[in-house]
Amino acid sequence: MDKTSLLTDSHLDNYRQFFVDAVNTGCVWGLQSEEGWAQCDSEKYKDTLVIPFWSQPDYVEPHRQDEWSGYDIVAISLEEFLDDWLTGMHEDVLLAGINWDSDLNGDDYEPLDILYEFEQALGNS
């Protein structure tokens, strides 16, 4: 079975799954190269960059092509993601793409909104 099919056509369902998986595994996943972390332009906001993150390494693999073909799949501990990444991205005016499907379909989120969602998820786990 193709694991990317575990991501649904619903951006909201994929977003919700991100929090469940991240809390259960204790990490999130991104793409990194010698130049830094994979980024792309936001489709919603002009002159704003998005860093995509996924809740499973299998969800990341389809994205290692074209401009991201030289990138490695890298785990980020949930603690580091919550304590450093999200607040730093907010300060740098970067958005987060969450569990984008293999066609890069998904929404962009304000990092502090993601931090709030994690606080809710961790408070209820």
Side-chain angles (χ1 to χ4, degrees):
M1 180 171 117
D2 177 8
K3 297 227 180 192
T4 59
S5 65
L6 296 175
L7 290 173
T8 70
D9 290 336
S10 167
H11 301 170
L12 184 57
D13 288 347
N14 295 340
Y15 178 76
R16 290 179 179 150
Q17 188 63 44
F18 179 82
F19 297 95
V20 172
D21 290 346
V23 168
N24 287 334
T25 63
C27 65
V28 301
W29 302 85
L31 285 167
Q32 184 181 37
S33 74
E34 291 179 4
E35 287 83 42
W37 293 89
Q39 299 179 4
C40 59
D41 292 325
S42 172
E43 292 189 6
K44 281 200 254 182
Y45 304 103
K46 185 178 170 134
D47 299 323
T48 304
L49 291 175
V50 181
I51 299 177
F53 300 98
W54 294 270
S55 59
Q56 297 287 333
D58 294 327
Y59 300 160
V60 187
E61 186 59 42
H63 303 283
R64 293 182 66 214
Q65 58 184 335
D66 301 325
E67 71 269 18
W68 294 341
S69 63
Y71 285 69
D72 295 317
I73 299 171
V74 178
I76 303 164
S77 76
L78 187 55
E79 181 179 0
E80 179 183 349
F81 190 66
L82 298 178
D83 293 346
D84 301 330
W85 275 86
L86 293 173
T87 54
M89 288 175 64
H90 173 75
E91 291 168 2
D92 293 340
V93 193
L94 295 168
L95 297 175
I98 300 300
N99 269 358
W100 286 349
D101 68 17
S102 57
D103 294 322
L104 291 178
N105 293 319
D107 290 322
D108 308 341
Y109 296 92
E110 211 309 307
L112 295 185
D113 292 340
I114 296 168
L115 185 59
Y116 175 79
E117 292 285 346
F118 269 114
E119 289 170 353
Q120 297 303 303
L122 291 167
N124 297 324
S125 61

